[in-house]
């Protein structure tokens, strides 16, 4: 091999003159987490609303929600990123466009909105699957007790549905962390971007990418571990965690 | 607003977008799917094997690939493939690898992890009695997989495999980070050359949308056709 390893490179000062490469990678990890967590809030809120709409008995609401899901699922994330970052400021009124372009940390906000809505379509599918996996009697019983439709969702269906879809939601959360790397194309200096930057400045390609890989794996392990604990805490005895739900 | 929307720039660049760009995207998608399913099936068989070394290795590979972003994997292989090539061919220095070969290796190896999980579920969905029956009539492990288990696993998992292919098709747009001329890369190059970002990106989004939506509707039809009545 003609490649020279140098693991000490992480403690060298980067060309910015003050921070070591390691510090910059950790800054990157911070932005990755900040982006993923903020986008996750949007994804959960919009995903829940759209997922619920798809299960309501109103055909127009179902049609709207289906369209929403198909729209966000059938365009690649990178293209959506470009639409939000390059196209949106051009097609809104000039003053709004200027404000969008001059906003500090524009790539961060764009990435959060884009990732949030992109993931919300996937969350919506999970929420819908969770609700439809419940026996129909549950919503009928709720309505028979005099709950309105929103109350039935709020007190009867959603508390069960969320518990059922916790494992797939965990995968979606892991996906949002990984997908945040796509934001490097619009200039967000998250973890992968920092690793790439370190590779360009120091020429230590494999050290830089190994470090980023290790950080991603650690984040993954922490998330999976935390979610397992949460799953155990909120499990409904005799219903979830015993294999397939018994109907 | 849309007052200055220039459809002419799209029409003028159509040959470039489709002949250069879309050909790259579709070829990459097709070859990476074929390679990914082949390697993924091998990984699935390894994961389900009773040799702990084999199943451990395959498990580690799949978990590693599934916990890192595709963008990072693309960068990894872009720099790693020349060294792998050097190691295989025994040449004195890292070999030159073209953009297409590099992305093909990346997507095959990356998607194999996802195809592995699909095939594993498919193999596990076949009742254990069938393996036992195959063994009882004297089939070897390879024969029982080749003639009994895998054909059924493929059939059961066909819709999921195709859906994963649609995801792969969308994911290939990420080769943009290596400045490769795939469909999005071509659109992006025209967009930047002519200063027509709005037109080109909206057009690219529309094309991806139409292809993915049509493909997913077809998958739904196939799903209904291939469902085995039990």
């Amino acid at each position: 091999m003609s490649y020279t390893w140098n693991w000490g490179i992480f403690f060298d000062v980067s060309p910015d003159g003050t921070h070591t490469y390691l510090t910059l990678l950790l800054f990157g990890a911070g932005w990755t987490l900040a982006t993923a967590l903020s986008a996750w809030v949007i994804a959960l809120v919009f995903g829940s609303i759209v997922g619920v709409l798809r299960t309501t008995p109103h055909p127009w609401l179902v049609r709207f929600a289906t369209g929403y899901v198909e729209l966000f699922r059938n365009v690649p994330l990178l293209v959506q990123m470009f639409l939000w970052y390059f196209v949106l400021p051009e097609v809104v009124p000039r003053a709004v466009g200027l404000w969008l372009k001059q906003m500090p940390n524009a790539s961060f906000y764009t990435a959060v909105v884009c990732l949030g809505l992109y993931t919300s379509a996937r969350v919506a599918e999970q929420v819908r699957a969770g609700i439809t996996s419940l026996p129909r009697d549950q919503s009928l019983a709720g309505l028979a007790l005099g709950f309105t439709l929103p109350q039935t969702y709020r007190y009867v269906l959603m508390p069960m549905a969320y518990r059922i879809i916790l494992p797939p939601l965990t995968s979606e959360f892991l996906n949002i962390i990984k997908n945040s790397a796509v934001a490097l194309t619009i200039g967000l200096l998250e973890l992968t971007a920092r690793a790439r930057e370190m590779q360009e400045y120091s020429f230590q390609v494999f050290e830089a990418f190994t470090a980023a890989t290790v950080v991603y794996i650690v984040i993954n392990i922490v998330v999976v571990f935390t979610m397992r604990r949460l799953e155990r805490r909120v499990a409904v005895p005799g219903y979830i965690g015993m294999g397939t739900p018994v109907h | 607003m849309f007052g200055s929307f220039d459809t002419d720039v799209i029409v003028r660049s159509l040959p470039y977008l489709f002949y250069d760009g879309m050909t790259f995207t579709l070829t990459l998608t097709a070859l990476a799917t074929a390679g990914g399913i082949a390697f993924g099936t091998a990984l699935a068989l390894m994961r389900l094997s009773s040799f702990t070394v084999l199943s451990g290795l395959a498990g580690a590979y799949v978990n590693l690939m599934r916990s890192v972003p595709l963008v990072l994997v693309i960068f990894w292989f872009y720099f790693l493939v020349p060294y792998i090539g050097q190691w295989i061919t025994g040449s004195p220095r890292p070999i030159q690898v073209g953009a297409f070969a590099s992305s093909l290796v990346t997507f095959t190896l990356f998607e194999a992890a996802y195809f592995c999980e699909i095939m594993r579920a498919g193999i596990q969905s076949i009742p254990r009695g069938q393996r036992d029956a195959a063994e009882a009539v004297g089939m070897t492990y390879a024969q029982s997989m080749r003639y009994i288990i895998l054909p059924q696993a493929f059939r059961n998992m066909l819709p999921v495999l195709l859906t994963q292919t649609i995801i792969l098709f969308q994911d290939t747009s990420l080769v943009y980070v290596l400045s490769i001329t795939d469909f999005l890369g071509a659109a992006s190059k025209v967009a930047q050359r002519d200063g027509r970002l709005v037109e080109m990106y909206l057009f690219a989004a529309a094309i991806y949308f139409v292809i993915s939506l049509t493909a997913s509707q077809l998958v739904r039809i196939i799903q209904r056709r291939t469902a085995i009545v039990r």
Side-chain angles (χ1 to χ4, degrees):
Chain A
M1 285 274 179
S2 40
Y3 185 78
T4 328
W5 292 92
N6 174 15
W7 289 101
I9 187 75
F10 293 111
F11 302 102
D12 287 6
V13 175
S14 73
D16 76 357
T18 36
H19 299 103
T20 61
Y21 285 116
L22 183 67
T23 322
L24 289 185
L25 283 175
L26 292 178
F27 283 164
W31 280 107
T32 291
L33 287 177
T35 310
L37 285 171
S38 323
W40 185 240
V41 175
I42 298 180
L44 268 189
V45 172
F46 281 74
S48 300
I49 295 171
V50 174
V52 164
L53 289 184
R54 284 197 86 174
T55 63
T56 54
H58 306 290
W60 278 105
L61 292 180
V62 174
R63 226 163 284 165
F64 164 78
T66 311
Y68 179 97
V69 170
E70 294 295 353
L71 184 64
F72 283 103
R73 273 212 315 194
N74 287 312
V75 177
L77 176 59
L78 179 57
V79 178
Q80 294 190 27
M81 211 55 101
F82 286 171
L83 289 183
W84 288 106
Y85 195 69
F86 295 118
V87 175
L88 182 69
E90 303 295 336
V91 297
V92 292
R94 182 170 280 275
V96 184
L98 271 179
W99 174 74
L100 280 172
K101 282 185 200 166
Q102 288 164 353
M103 191 165 42
N105 290 329
S107 54
F108 170 70
Y109 295 113
T110 310
V112 167
V113 170
C114 174
L115 262 181
L117 294 181
Y118 174 81
T119 313
S120 74
R122 281 141 213 279
V123 171
E125 282 300 273
Q126 305 295 352
V127 168
R128 179 178 75 122
I131 295 172
T132 47
S133 78
L134 294 169
R136 231 161 61 91
D137 332 3
Q138 293 212 358
S139 73
L140 295 178
L143 292 171
L145 279 172
F147 279 156
T148 61
L149 190 63
Q151 283 174 329
T152 311
Y153 274 102
R154 165 70 185 81
Y155 296 108
V156 182
L157 300 177
M158 296 313 283
M160 284 303 280
Y162 277 127
R163 286 173 162 91
I164 292 173
I165 62 170
L166 214 45
L169 280 187
T170 306
S171 338
E172 283 310 328
F173 184 59
L174 294 172
N175 281 339
I176 215 172
I177 297 173
K178 287 185 283 173
N179 284 336
S180 67
V182 174
L184 72 85
T185 55
I186 57 167
L188 182 69
L189 284 175
E190 45 67 66
L191 184 52
T192 305
R194 285 294 189 189
R196 175 98 169 109
E197 185 189 68
M198 174 176 167
Q199 167 258 318
E200 270 170 2
Y201 289 144
S202 70
F203 299 106
Q204 300 304 121
V205 188
F206 299 123
E207 289 87 340
F209 292 161
T210 306
T213 305
V214 168
V215 176
Y216 278 114
I217 292 174
V218 169
I219 295 175
N220 251 281
I221 293 172
V222 171
V223 170
V224 169
F225 182 76
T226 318
M227 291 306 285
R228 289 247 171 87
R229 285 191 54 166
L230 183 68
E231 272 167 43
R232 270 203 299 274
R233 283 220 8 214
V234 301
V236 180
Y239 196 88
I240 299 154
M242 316 283 287
T244 46
V246 187
H247 288 179
Chain B
M1 281 288 279
F2 286 104
S4 60
F5 196 87
D6 179 14
T7 44
D8 192 44
V9 69
I10 299 174
V11 177
R12 266 184 289 127
S13 51
L14 280 180
Y16 177 59
L17 286 178
F18 283 92
Y19 190 73
D20 290 10
M22 195 49 100
T23 311
F24 182 99
T25 298
L26 291 180
T27 319
L28 179 60
T29 306
L31 293 180
T33 304
I37 290 181
F39 184 40
T41 307
L43 278 172
L45 291 175
M46 280 170 73
R47 270 203 100 164
L48 293 170
S49 126
S50 47
F51 297 107
T52 40
V53 180
L54 276 186
S55 61
L57 265 179
Y61 178 85
V62 170
N63 287 332
L64 175 68
M65 282 297 176
R66 280 159 44 106
S67 49
V68 273
L70 176 54
V71 179
L72 183 59
V73 178
I74 290 175
F75 285 139
W76 255 117
F77 280 108
Y78 181 68
F79 292 101
L80 200 58
V81 167
Y83 287 97
I84 300 176
Q86 178 195 16
W87 179 66
I88 291 174
T89 58
S91 80
R93 64 179 68 82
I95 57 165
Q96 290 278 321
V97 178
F100 182 77
S102 172
S103 4
L104 181 58
V105 171
T106 309
F107 278 90
T108 304
L109 295 181
F110 181 78
E111 296 293 334
Y114 290 83
F115 283 123
C116 164
E117 290 303 274
I118 297 171
M119 285 313 294
R120 184 165 72 120
I123 294 169
Q124 282 176 326
S125 74
I126 310 299
R128 183 135 190 105
Q130 299 210 14
R131 274 287 327 272
D132 299 339
E135 237 166 80
V137 296
M139 283 190 177
T140 62
Y141 169 81
Q143 283 173 328
S144 72
M145 281 298 161
R146 164 76 184 78
Y147 296 108
I148 312 288
I149 308 293
L150 287 182
Q152 299 184 76
F154 271 117
R155 187 183 174 135
N156 288 350
M157 286 295 134
L158 190 63
V160 194
L161 290 170
L162 290 173
T163 305
Q164 184 63 35
T165 305
I166 300 175
I167 297 174
L168 171 58
F169 166 70
Q170 296 190 13
D171 280 349
T172 55
S173 64
L174 288 173
V175 298
Y176 169 88
V177 297
L178 299 179
S179 314
I180 290 172
T181 309
D182 71 321
F183 181 65
L184 180 62
S188 174
K189 276 169 193 164
V190 175
Q192 265 144 30
R193 187 195 64 196
D194 296 356
R196 288 290 171 188
L197 298 170
V198 176
E199 289 85 351
M200 296 317 291
Y201 287 144
L202 280 176
F203 181 67
I207 296 296
Y208 275 111
F209 179 77
V210 169
I211 294 180
S212 304
L213 187 67
T214 315
S216 61
Q217 301 299 329
L218 285 177
V219 171
R220 224 163 278 175
I221 296 173
I222 291 173
Q223 189 166 18
R224 245 174 281 143
R225 287 266 178 83
T226 57
I228 299 170
V229 184
R230 289 198 169 85

